[in-house]
Amino acid sequence: YYSAHRPHLRILHRRLGPVQTVAVLVTGLSGLVMAAQAHAGPIAGFGFALHSLGTMGTVVVAAYYASRGEWPRHRLWARRCVLLLLAPLLLRLMTGFTIVTHLDTPNAYRCIAWLSWMLPMGVHEFCYARVGRIHNSSKPSLSLPSQF
């Protein structure tokens, strides 16, 4: 978004985009490995696995749209990817809150494993459906490209 109006940043963004895509895919694969070893059990592990798959999926779709020059759709999927990349920070904040309030139980952690990424994505999709289309004349689709 920020590089669209700054030519020197646009060039840097285009060069670093493939590097970021590979880095996110490697991160997602490592997330899958860690999900299989979740201390809170298979429910949390499944949530972490879906989070990793979602992160990898969003970066692939964002890269696909960038390669086709479909910038509004690229930005939409890149925002989704950034939200999923920031979800572990929210997980740490939520976990810290449960520790401070003495609510840290395995069940709380299982819920946090899901809420840490589903909550930001849900808010984003709600806001996009309500407001985003008003500001975007090309109205990018919420769905995957038909080639997938």
Side-chain angles (χ1 to χ4, degrees), residues 2-24:
Y2 295 107
S3 65
H5 303 293
R6 297 178 181 98
H8 64 285
L9 291 179
R10 191 175 333 145
I11 293 167
L12 181 64
H13 184 92
R14 286 185 182 164
R15 288 189 179 154
L16 291 179
V19 174
Q20 180 179 355
T21 300
V22 170
V24 171

Side-chain angles (χ1 to χ4, degrees), residues 88-142:
L89 298 175
L90 183 58
L91 179 132
R92 298 291 177 239
L93 289 172
M94 294 169 87
T95 302
F97 177 78
T98 62
I99 291 170
V100 169
T101 58
H102 303 289
L103 299 172
D104 55 329
T105 65
N107 284 335
Y109 194 71
R110 288 180 193 110
C111 291
I112 291 170
W114 287 84
L115 288 174
S116 65
W117 62 274
M118 290 185 76
L119 187 62
M121 288 299 288
V123 169
H124 173 269
E125 296 305 320
F126 176 78
C127 292
Y128 178 76
R130 302 277 298 185
V131 177
R133 291 187 181 188
I134 296 169
H135 299 293
N136 194 344
S137 60
S138 62
K139 297 182 183 178
S141 169
L142 288 173

Side-chain angles (χ1 to χ4, degrees), residues 16-27 56 59-60 62-64 74:
L16 291 179
V19 174
Q20 180 179 355
T21 300
V22 170
V24 171
L25 290 173
V26 169
T27 300
M56 290 188 294
V59 78
V60 167
Y64 170 80
H74 166 69

